[in-house]
Amino acid sequence: MMDKIIVSAPGKLMIFGEHAVVYGHPCIVTAVDQRIRLSAEVLDSSDFELEAPDVEVTNYKKSISELGYRDVPEGAQFIEVAAKNLYEKFSLNKGLRITTISEFSSKFGFGSSSASTVCVVKALSELFDLDLDNKEIFDLSYEIVLDIQGKGSGFDVAAAVFGGTLYFLTGGKIIEPLNIGSLSLVVAYSGIKADTVKLINEVKERFTNNSKRLDEIYTAIGSIVEKAKEALLKNDLATVGKLMNENQILLAELGVSIPKLDSMINAARRTGAYGAKLSGAGGGDCIIVLAPQEKGFNVEQAIISVGGEIIDVKSNEEGVRVE
Ligand code: MEV
């Protein structure tokens, strides 16, 4: 048994299929080069200690037997519940000190909660010789995320575990790596932090009296995902861009686009992008843009001129790993 380990897991960007993937349709997600790093150390005491300055949790300490009860600060939730679930499941009892460092802000919607959950599961698997394979890490981590959020397709957990670019079906029923290179995406933040569960609930409420149309939209998004998968595998970027625009129309009909996202998307399209859409739950967060390489600079300037913040990220990165 080791005493200390450092692991890391990537954040994600949804390329196609958000919202519909919560309800049994596929999506395409890519892992990005911004990672959460987590060090885990076995202690002689029976304490759980956590330092997670990025989510404003410092000097946090409680007994292992108190894990998950009382006063769990919001930023510590995923890490603490992950530890609690694994300690119970595998009858672990040693003290544990966890420290996290994030390369990206939790406000971007890159999936920092899921990436840290995956890091805890991987780290405990290594520290306590649990010998979990990636599918088991996915299943355990997804269960933890659902315990806390109550909702979610698990696509972000899959990206954190497996990395690369994945064709993913709700709950991990299909997790298929797509053999494509890194997409040269322009990614831009709207300046507005979004709340995924709130947005999922709002969409449902908005369509309470029109669930037939909601099903049609989700089915149409699902068929865009299938076409996008083919186009990506053929490296047919013009078609991928066109499908991004079609996906965005349906997301707007769901009511999850906002004027700020629309103006960033329009700025990108006006300057020659193949296509652009919001990425993630909507209501803020980021847009992704696919543009010919030579138009990249102009696209970025246009987005900045309407108040977007360009984020330098690469796609198709490696999943969870021991550092
Ligand atoms: C949020 O980034 C994407 C959603 O589809 C939620 C999910 O799939 O868990 C809205």
Side-chain angles (χ1 to χ4, degrees):
M1 200 184 95
M2 268 179 277
D3 282 342
K4 186 173 179 183
I5 193 156
I6 299 177
V7 298
S8 77
K12 54 76 194 167
L13 271 178
M14 180 72 97
I15 310 281
F16 286 98
E18 44 274 271
H19 288 282
V21 66
V22 179
Y23 302 100
H25 298 277
C27 75
I28 293 171
V29 57
T30 192
V32 297
D33 64 340
Q34 305 202 3
R35 306 180 76 83
I36 302 275
R37 276 167 222 285
L38 180 146
S39 108
E41 189 179 350
V42 176
L43 303 176
D44 286 333
S45 68
S46 55
D47 290 333
F48 172 77
E49 299 179 12
L50 177 62
E51 290 294 322
D54 303 299
V55 281
E56 287 156 25
V57 179
T58 49
N59 294 318
Y60 182 64
K61 183 170 167 174
K62 62 170 31 170
S63 159
I64 288 287
S65 60
E66 289 276 290
L67 276 176
Y69 301 103
R70 282 193 294 238
D71 302 335
V72 182
E74 212 186 318
Q77 257 188 3
F78 286 83
I79 290 172
E80 183 166 337
V81 174
K84 173 180 182 277
N85 282 17
L86 266 82
Y87 267 66
E88 283 174 3
K89 199 171 210 94
F90 297 100
S91 307
L92 310 175
N93 50 28
K94 298 217 164 184
L96 185 70
R97 177 184 297 127
I98 287 184
T99 310
T100 62
I101 301 167
S102 172
E103 286 175 0
F104 56 92
S105 160
S106 58
K107 74 182 181 190
F108 289 156
F110 282 178
S112 54
S113 309
S114 298
S116 6
T117 305
V118 166
C119 281
V120 175
V121 177
K122 175 74 174 173
L124 295 189
S125 172
E126 297 288 326
L127 278 181
F128 296 105
D129 298 327
L130 305 179
D131 216 16
L132 302 172
D133 65 23
N134 274 353
K135 184 61 171 60
E136 290 167 320
I137 294 177
F138 170 83
D139 289 337
L140 287 166
S141 305
Y142 181 43
E143 199 180 302
I144 293 158
V145 170
L146 277 188
D147 264 5
I148 297 170
Q149 280 185 186
K151 288 204 168 92
S153 64
F155 80 106
D156 42 2
V157 178
V161 175
F162 295 93
T165 302
L166 305 170
Y167 171 88
F168 175 89
L169 191 60
T170 325
K173 286 189 220 57
I174 301 176
I175 303 176
E176 183 186 333
L178 298 183
N179 191 10
I180 60 171
S182 176
L183 281 172
S184 75
L185 291 171
V186 175
V187 181
Y189 180 57
S190 62
I192 301 159
K193 186 169 159 49
D195 179 338
T196 299
V197 174
K198 184 165 162 269
L199 281 146
I200 293 176
N201 291 337
E202 279 172 7
V203 170
K204 203 163 174 200
E205 271 161 38
R206 202 168 286 131
F207 284 83
T208 354
N209 296 322
N210 201 356
S211 59
K212 185 166 162 286
R213 180 60 195 149
L214 187 58
D215 285 347
E216 284 167 5
I217 295 173
Y218 286 153
T219 303
I221 292 177
S223 90
I224 288 174
V225 171
E226 300 297 347
K227 290 182 201 156
K229 178 183 170 190
E230 295 312 312
L232 283 166
L233 289 169
K234 286 190 211 141
N235 200 28
D236 178 355
L237 299 185
T239 302
V240 175
K242 191 172 139 273
L243 292 165
M244 286 167 79
N245 291 340
E246 286 176 20
N247 195 161
Q248 174 63 23
I249 292 172
L250 294 165
L251 288 165
E253 192 177 342
L254 290 180
V256 296
S257 205
I258 55 169
K260 180 74 181 277
L261 292 171
D262 292 341
S263 69
M264 289 161 66
I265 288 168
N266 289 333
R269 289 184 187 151
R270 271 198 309 271
T271 32
Y274 291 123
K277 64 183 275 295
L278 67 83
S279 169
D285 275 351
C286 292
I287 65 161
I288 53 171
V289 181
L290 190 62
Q293 208 100 51
E294 68 281 4
K295 304 238 165 99
F297 178 77
N298 287 349
V299 165
E300 288 185 3
Q301 293 308 309
I303 294 172
I304 292 169
S305 75
V306 295
E309 179 189 338
I310 303 298
I311 308 171
D312 185 20
V313 276
K314 289 196 187 64
S315 67
N316 212 33
E317 292 289 317
E318 199 187 341
V320 69
R321 66 176 179 231
V322 174
E323 293 288 310

